[in-house]
Amino acid sequence: MADLDITTIDHGSTRTHLVHTRYVNWVILQSDDGVTLVDGGYPGHADAVAESLRRVGSDLSEVQAALLTHAHVDHLGGLAQIGRTRSFPVYADPAEVAHARRDFLEQADASTIAPIAYRPRVMRWLPGVVRLGALDKAGIGDTQPLGDLSFLPGAPKAVPTPGHTRGHSAFLAGDGEVVITGDALISAHPTTKRRGPQCLDHVFTHDVAANEAAVASLRDLDAVVVMPGHGPMLCGRVGAFVDQALSRRD
Ligand SMILES: [Zn+2]
């Protein structure tokens, strides 16, 4: 079983849980009506997603829907596995739907990773993620374009943040108190020793300039908690984290 570290922000009638693992995070939005998942780890994380739901007093039968920040295998893969036996709708930004359905794949491969493959951290990371199914090309064929999400547990709100992928989306939860930033803005990644607010290495990003513009657009949000796609939770004014991330670009 994957090492799970769950941090909960309580908003009263709803709760937002960041599930942090060594390789990637996902988020559980929980209310009396059930749960909404945001991302679901690698294919090899399917059991860990179920375990994380149990640890917050829920289970897969309570999942009303899943949202994708984007369709990379480390965010979509667990949901694709779970979807083989469970049926709940999966939503993504309209510009990400074709990617999630695997009409095309917009993801780093052996040739794009080559410039950083010499790094010891990358050499240690690769076998770990391959074991978790990083080479799995399966998508989620019935991914739907998201619209108003306020009917879902946690009443999330999409914030388009294209760049890391063409249809990447962040999500607000907890009445805007929490922003789930996916891979637009992270706080750590196994391939680098860098800690704190940052953008992912260029080799993992579809359009670096667009991603930086998207991250800058988060500056004015009122959120005071950032739940990133990789690394621990950040507590504080999101604008400060945006400034730090953009000042540390390579
Ligand atoms: Zn990604």
Side-chain angles (χ1 to χ4, degrees):
M1 183 56 64
D3 53 317
L4 300 177
D5 179 27
I6 302 180
T7 313
T8 299
I9 301 292
D10 201 319
H11 315 285
S13 60
T14 65
R15 288 163 298 288
T16 309
H17 310 277
L18 175 68
V19 185
H20 174 63
T21 76
R22 178 177 175 191
Y23 291 103
V24 68
N25 302 337
W26 56 91
V27 175
I28 301 168
L29 311 180
Q30 188 172 32
S31 76
D32 292 341
D33 300 328
V35 299
T36 305
L37 282 168
V38 184
D39 294 343
Y42 282 96
H45 279 135
D47 288 345
V49 171
E51 170 66 16
S52 67
L53 289 165
R54 284 192 289 275
R55 287 208 201 166
V56 302
S58 184
D59 61 46
L60 283 169
S61 70
E62 292 193 346
V63 177
Q64 305 295 310
L67 310 176
L68 291 169
T69 60
H70 66 298
H72 282 162
V73 66
D74 51 334
H75 300 260
L76 167 147
L79 295 174
Q81 285 290 326
I82 291 166
R84 291 178 181 179
T85 51
R86 303 275 169 178
S87 74
F88 48 77
V90 176
Y91 298 103
D93 184 281
E96 192 72 359
V97 168
H99 188 199
R101 292 175 178 171
R102 290 295 183 258
D103 295 348
F104 58 88
L105 187 56
E106 196 171 79
Q107 180 162 307
D109 58 19
S111 64
T112 45
I113 290 175
I116 62 166
Y118 68 90
R119 292 187 198 162
R121 283 172 182 275
V122 176
M123 285 191 247
R124 286 197 296 271
W125 167 77
L126 260 177
V129 297
V130 167
R131 257 196 317 275
L132 286 167
L135 303 179
D136 189 332
K137 299 278 192 290
I140 299 176
D142 57 357
T143 304
Q144 301 174 44
L146 60 78
D148 174 30
L149 302 170
S150 59
F151 66 97
L152 291 175
K157 185 171 183 290
V159 181
T161 42
H164 178 71
T165 59
R166 70 184 66 186
H168 188 284
S169 182
F171 295 96
L172 288 170
D175 238 356
E177 190 178 358
V178 175
V179 60
I180 299 159
T181 54
D183 281 2
L185 174 65
I186 62 166
S187 63
H189 194 272
T191 57
T192 173
K193 64 177 186 300
R194 203 186 251 191
R195 292 291 177 270
Q198 58 191 286
C199 296
L200 260 172
D201 195 285
H202 292 184
V203 302
F204 298 113
T205 300
H206 170 63
D207 183 332
V208 170
N211 182 60
E212 289 179 355
V215 170
S217 77
L218 302 176
R219 191 178 272 127
D220 297 327
L221 295 175
D222 293 327
V224 290
V225 175
V226 173
M227 294 190 174
H230 300 267
M233 189 167 82
L234 301 168
C235 293
R237 208 170 52 79
V238 66
F241 299 138
V242 166
D243 289 341
Q244 286 177 57
L246 295 180
S247 67
R248 300 168 81 189
R249 66 186 75 168
D250 291 318

